Amino acid sequence: MLLGVRHHGPGSARAVRAALDAARPPVVLIEGPPEADALIALAADEDMRPPVALLAHAVDEPGRSAFWPLADFSPEWVALRWALEHGVPARFIDLPATHTLAWQAEEEEAVTGPTDDADTGAADPVDPDNPADPDNPAAPGDPADPAEPDSETSTGPGSVPAPGADVRVDPLAVLAATAGYDDPERWWEDVVEHRGPGSKDAFAPFLVLEEAMGALRETYGSRDRDLVREAHMRLQVRAAQREFGDGVAVVCGAWHVPALRHRATVTADRVLLKGLPKVKTDMTWVPWTHRRLSRFSGYGAGIDAPGWYAHLFGVPDRPVERWLTKVAGLLREEDRIVSSAHVIEAVRLAETLAAMRGRPLPGLSETTDAVRAVMCEGSDVPLALVRDRLVVGDVLGEVPEAAPAVPLQRDLTRLQRRLRLKPEALERELELDLRKETDAGRSRLLHRLRLLGVDWGEPAASRGSTGTFRETWRLRWEPELSVRVAEAGVWGTTVLSAATARAEADAVGTDVLAEVTALAERCLLAELPDALPVVMRVLADRAALDADVGHLAQALPALVRSLRYGDVRGTDTEALAGVAAGLAERVFVGLPPACVGLDTDAAQEMRRHVDAVHTAVGLLGDTLDARHGDLRARWHGVLRTLSGRDTVPGVVRGRAVRLLLDEGEIAQDRAARFMGLALSPGTPPPDAAAWIEGFVGGGGGMLLVHDERLLGLVDAWLTGVPADAFTDVLPLLRRTFSAYESGVRRTLGELVRRGPAHDGGGPAGSPAAGTPGFAADLDPERAGAVLPVVRLLLGLDESGAGTGAVAGSGPGAVAETGDAYAGAAR
């Protein structure tokens, strides 16, 4: 009994269950890797909740892997459950994964050449149900299997490739086009998912589908590796028939059924299987997600809408009404106004659309159109949410603890349970307070996993406090992370030991100083005390040998951050502090010579290094004790040297003056003198523009707002730039001023439009005494204009009697009134 199915097709799943109930076979054979036979019993475990997947990986290269996903509505899963519930043996009969993974390795080597011994050669996880995956040499899903129509392999909805064309055929597209449909999914819904009771013959659907697949195979042929897989299946079917008789039930992709029906000799089948490559393989169950069943995720298994198909398979009746009710519930959770009347109207519209389109029942396209028109008011924005949350979905399966797993996975599961950090398919934000023991443990776990390449969590910017005691993470568990855990198992049996070994190996294996300092920071974040001495020794060696000031400047900020993180986590960072101080000293000595003779791009890079070192030194001054000297004072000396050397690029000189001004090391007059020199007529316009960029770039607009002398200097210089040089300096100035906030730009524009005022003999550009808002003394008229608003805010009468305010005008009266209001506010 051959039951050809569409993988992950709820209609096929229902048909398989009906056929098995009718036939009561003594054994059920299922398309899948035979190594998983020992795992079949786990499908009956109460803790096993689909979607799940069989994961096969090479023992020597855990990153080389393949998945066989199964959902509640997968025919193979239904067959497995039926066999377990009825006490009937179940077996997988596809080509063993040991050959599948070996084929994958051979194809990769043929394309890229032999891998280096130091490289694992691990590829991205391969979905064997996705024939579009270029890394998939022998997918259990077939290029022309109705189980896996894939948008990347299909010739397009409704299109039929020419016979003999060298393409991977999507049989659903061919059959749909033959029937006059432009959408294979809609054709499948009409002929299978919406099929009525019809004939009482439970096997009729499979006979019809087998006939269609036979015609397609005669026209388009099949790949050589399909023939090898089918030869193995035939041998397994014969072996089962010898053991159980002729009542064997076979559940496989419909594409294979004509080949399994074909009577080939045993010898011919064995010849096809002779000499196949092998690799040692392990197999287990892993959680899967509905999103990974969708072709859009890159792990396409042949269905656009796994959430919709799960709904069709799970509801007992009224699928459209129940679906639209579910949609309404989701939209209400997102604060959209959706009532029961909306649901009723959407049901009516979906049924009307189905009738107009000649469909037996409303399908996904009709319900989607109804939701857009009735519940979303024609907008695709909330409709995208419906598609993401319901049509595709974020359901994450669960696997029982009894499932085989590498020791590292077991330790990770134990930690997740202890820290109450359950893996979830839906992305969520996690705020951690490192002063709390549980949150600190979660932080350690996430940082250690990142060191191992298991990116379950990604650091995010905190919306609250920016202190070092707070962290924000975005968490999302993806099925392929199980492969990453298996791959990381070569480093140790626990998360702590594996992260320690990986950090030590990474430190020894890199020659880049900045990478070692970043690794030291990550070791402190992950609290790896055993790895830190090794990393620090390598760091000291690399720092002693590296003479590139740019490399040293890149390394210093990470070391300083490590010192701060060490403080909040209670880690001893004395050795790290010594290395950081020594690194800072070398930067101080080497930076001035390194800033000479730089081109434009190198000057911009050096300016970024100066900013990073300045920030790092500011933090170091708060962290290091007196044994390391006054680093901040010596850094200020370096900045003075940079600001006064004509051989240093203008962008660096301008930045040095700006940093000194921010630190209070030079006065406003001194900064204005530096600017005047930089903008003097003898300076080439591009160099002057670069100096301005260094000085007022990165938030320096407020300097110009509050010091009109500086603004006047810039304005006078810019108006005097020759026409032939103006086009050269304009991009630099535009880049500088476009970074300011809109309010700052508007204020600067108003000041420039007003133009410089003169206050007797004062210098051009100085604040004018008679300019409203910019005079040296209080402007009574402008200050008095706000008094009615202040009275209103404080609940006072117009006379201000409640506060003892003195009526009148002039600076004294305004000042007294302001004092009175301040007292009332207190």
Side-chain angles (χ1 to χ4, degrees):
M1 179 176 62
L2 300 177
L3 306 178
V5 300
R6 179 190 187 186
H7 301 309
H8 315 310
S12 290
R14 288 191 295 267
V16 164
R17 185 163 54 195
L20 293 177
D21 285 337
R24 300 282 174 170
V27 64
V28 178
L29 307 181
I30 302 169
E31 181 183 338
E35 294 94 335
D37 285 351
L39 305 175
I40 289 177
L42 290 173
D45 194 296
E46 61 181 7
D47 292 330
M48 179 76 83
R49 295 183 178 87
V52 293
L54 289 167
L55 164 64
H57 65 84
V59 174
D60 297 332
E61 300 177 73
R64 192 177 305 286
S65 58
F67 297 100
W68 286 259
L70 297 170
D72 273 322
F73 49 87
S74 298
E76 298 87 347
W77 180 258
V78 170
L80 274 180
R81 294 287 300 176
W82 186 93
L84 292 170
E85 291 168 2
H86 292 80
V88 173
R91 298 174 182 174
F92 289 110
I93 61 170
D94 202 354
L95 191 70
T98 182
H99 302 308
T100 301
L101 296 179
W103 264 342
Q104 175 186 329
E106 285 189 350
E107 283 203 346
E108 289 177 358
E109 185 170 324
V111 173
T112 63
T115 58
D116 190 276
D117 291 339
D119 187 1
T120 63
D124 289 336
V126 177
D127 179 15
D129 273 347
N130 181 9
D133 194 330
D135 295 327
N136 183 6
D142 315 295
D145 188 342
E148 298 96 11
D150 189 285
S151 61
E152 296 180 11
T153 61
S154 172
T155 55
S159 62
V160 182
D166 186 18
V167 295
R168 290 175 173 177
V169 180
D170 178 356
L172 287 192
V174 176
L175 294 175
T178 304
Y181 282 74
D182 61 355
D183 184 356
E185 292 295 325
R186 191 164 71 247
W187 174 82
W188 180 261
E189 282 188 344
D190 286 352
V191 301
V192 177
E193 305 303 337
H194 298 163
R195 187 179 64 245
S199 170
K200 297 299 182 181
D201 184 0
F203 307 102
F206 301 104
L207 296 176
V208 173
L209 199 54
E210 178 183 348
E211 183 179 354
M213 293 301 107
L216 289 174
R217 287 182 69 114
E218 288 179 5
T219 304
Y220 298 104
S222 187
R223 291 185 301 169
D224 291 341
R225 289 191 172 175
D226 291 332
L227 302 179
V228 173
R229 295 173 56 211
E230 290 157 357
H232 187 271
M233 292 186 200
R234 284 193 294 265
L235 291 177
Q236 296 300 309
V237 171
R238 291 191 187 99
Q241 288 174 336
R242 288 194 299 270
E243 183 177 354
F244 297 98
D246 292 335
V248 174
V250 180
V251 180
C252 64
W255 181 259
H256 298 302
V257 172
L260 299 185
R261 187 80 69 184
H262 175 67
R263 295 186 175 277
T265 65
V266 174
T267 302
D269 286 341
R270 287 177 177 169
V271 168
L272 286 173
L273 297 171
K274 186 177 180 180
L276 292 178
K278 293 183 179 181
V279 294
K280 189 177 181 181
T281 305
D282 272 348
M283 180 79 67
T284 189
W285 289 104
V286 296
W288 205 250
T289 67
H290 275 179
R291 192 170 300 279
R292 286 303 189 208
L293 292 173
S294 169
R295 70 180 61 172
F296 299 100
S297 66
Y299 282 73
I303 53 175
D304 288 335
W308 166 253
Y309 276 3
H311 171 79
L312 291 180
F313 185 73
V315 297
D317 57 9
R318 295 180 175 273
V320 175
E321 290 85 344
R322 294 178 185 272
W323 175 258
L324 292 174
T325 301
K326 190 183 298 186
V327 171
L330 171 65
L331 294 177
R332 287 192 194 111
E333 291 175 0
E334 298 298 323
D335 296 329
R336 292 191 65 86
I337 301 175
V338 180
S339 66
S340 56
H342 286 88
V343 177
I344 295 171
E345 187 60 33
V347 171
R348 290 175 178 170
L349 179 56
E351 292 174 345
T352 302
L353 290 173
M356 293 176 61
R357 296 169 181 175
R359 305 193 67 184
L361 286 174
L364 180 59
S365 58
E366 284 72 33
T367 56
T368 299
D369 290 343
V371 168
R372 179 191 290 109
V374 178
M375 299 184 186
C376 300
E377 300 176 350
S379 172
D380 284 338
V381 175
L383 193 66
L385 178 68
V386 173
R387 172 168 182 80
D388 184 66
R389 298 279 187 86
L390 294 182
V391 178
V392 176
D394 284 299
V395 178
L396 176 65
E398 296 183 17
V399 171
E401 293 183 9
V406 296
L408 181 62
Q409 177 65 64
R410 295 196 180 282
D411 183 60
L412 174 58
T413 302
R414 178 185 63 81
L415 292 172
Q416 289 170 335
R417 188 181 303 110
R418 180 171 67 82
L419 297 171
R420 299 189 298 278
L421 204 57
K422 183 180 180 181
E424 297 177 0
L426 185 65
E427 183 177 292
R428 67 185 180 101
E429 262 197 11
L430 180 68
E431 292 280 351
L432 299 179
D433 186 341
L434 302 182
R435 296 169 296 185
K436 300 178 180 179
E437 183 178 352
T438 299
D439 282 1
R442 292 172 173 175
S443 174
R444 285 193 298 269
L445 175 61
L446 294 172
H447 281 294
R448 289 170 182 175
L449 290 177
R450 281 177 58 81
L451 268 171
L452 292 170
V454 183
D455 294 328
W456 177 20
E458 290 286 342
S462 293
R463 288 174 294 184
S465 172
T466 57
T468 57
F469 63 86
R470 185 172 298 278
E471 284 184 350
T472 302
W473 293 82
R474 278 194 295 269
L475 301 183
R476 184 170 189 164
W477 185 266
E478 300 285 4
E480 66 266 24
L481 294 180
S482 298
V483 179
R484 301 291 179 242
V485 173
E487 191 174 9
V490 300
W491 298 105
T493 58
T494 66
V495 175
L496 175 59
S497 63
T500 299
R502 177 65 182 270
E504 293 174 350
D506 287 349
V508 174
T510 182
D511 294 326
V512 181
L513 179 60
E515 292 181 3
V516 183
T517 56
L519 187 59
E521 179 182 10
R522 298 177 70 183
C523 287
L524 286 171
L525 293 171
E527 290 192 26
L528 302 177
D530 293 337
L532 199 55
V534 176
V535 176
M536 292 307 303
R537 184 176 65 251
V538 174
L539 175 59
D541 294 342
R542 300 289 187 272
L545 296 175
D546 200 327
D548 191 310
V549 173
H551 292 169
L552 299 176
Q554 284 179 320
L556 185 59
L559 281 181
V560 175
R561 289 195 302 270
S562 299
L563 288 171
R564 297 180 69 205
Y565 287 125
D567 289 342
V568 75
R569 287 168 170 78
T571 307
D572 183 10
T573 56
E574 179 58 31
L576 196 63
V579 174
L583 206 61
E585 294 283 4
R586 296 184 60 196
V587 171
F588 297 166
V589 173
L591 188 60
C595 291
V596 176
L598 301 179
D599 60 17
T600 302
D601 293 337
Q604 290 288 348
E605 182 68 20
M606 190 59 70
R607 187 203 68 175
R608 288 190 285 270
H609 290 330
V610 169
D611 284 341
V613 172
H614 180 76
T615 302
V617 170
L619 295 174
L620 274 176
D622 299 332
T623 305
L624 300 183
D625 55 29
R627 286 178 294 174
H628 300 287
D630 191 354
L631 294 177
R632 186 173 293 178
R634 292 201 293 278
W635 171 243
H636 292 159
V638 174
L639 292 177
R640 290 191 182 91
T641 301
L642 294 176
S643 65
R645 286 190 178 180
D646 294 338
T647 54
V648 174
V651 68
V652 178
R653 284 187 287 122
R655 178 59 66 178
V657 174
R658 163 74 183 284
L659 296 177
L660 289 170
L661 180 62
D662 290 345
E663 290 284 302
E665 293 298 310
I666 61 174
Q668 290 280 104
D669 292 342
R670 181 71 172 168
R673 182 174 182 276
F674 274 116
M675 178 178 282
L677 292 174
L679 303 184
S680 62
T683 304
D687 292 346
W691 195 98
I692 293 174
E693 181 181 12
F695 183 76
V696 299
M702 296 304 294
L703 288 173
L704 301 180
V705 170
H706 293 289
D707 191 333
E708 287 198 54
R709 290 173 300 172
L710 300 180
L711 180 59
L713 288 171
V714 174
D715 184 43
W717 168 79
L718 185 58
T719 56
V721 173
D724 57 345
F726 186 79
T727 54
D728 295 332
V729 303
L730 184 60
L732 295 176
L733 296 175
R734 181 177 179 81
R735 181 173 61 190
T736 301
F737 289 97
S738 64
Y740 295 165
E741 295 181 358
S742 58
V744 175
R745 293 199 304 269
R746 183 170 56 252
T747 302
L748 289 175
E750 292 173 353
L751 292 174
V752 171
R753 178 171 57 85
R754 176 177 53 79
H758 294 275
D759 155 48
S766 62
T771 303
F774 294 96
D777 299 325
L778 184 67
D779 185 337
E781 182 179 354
R782 292 172 62 86
V786 303
L787 295 183
V789 178
V790 175
R791 291 193 187 98
L792 181 63
L793 292 175
L794 297 179
L796 305 175
D797 57 28
E798 293 187 1
S799 65
T803 65
V806 178
S809 60
V814 172
E816 291 183 27
T817 303
D819 292 341
Y821 288 153
R826 287 194 294 269

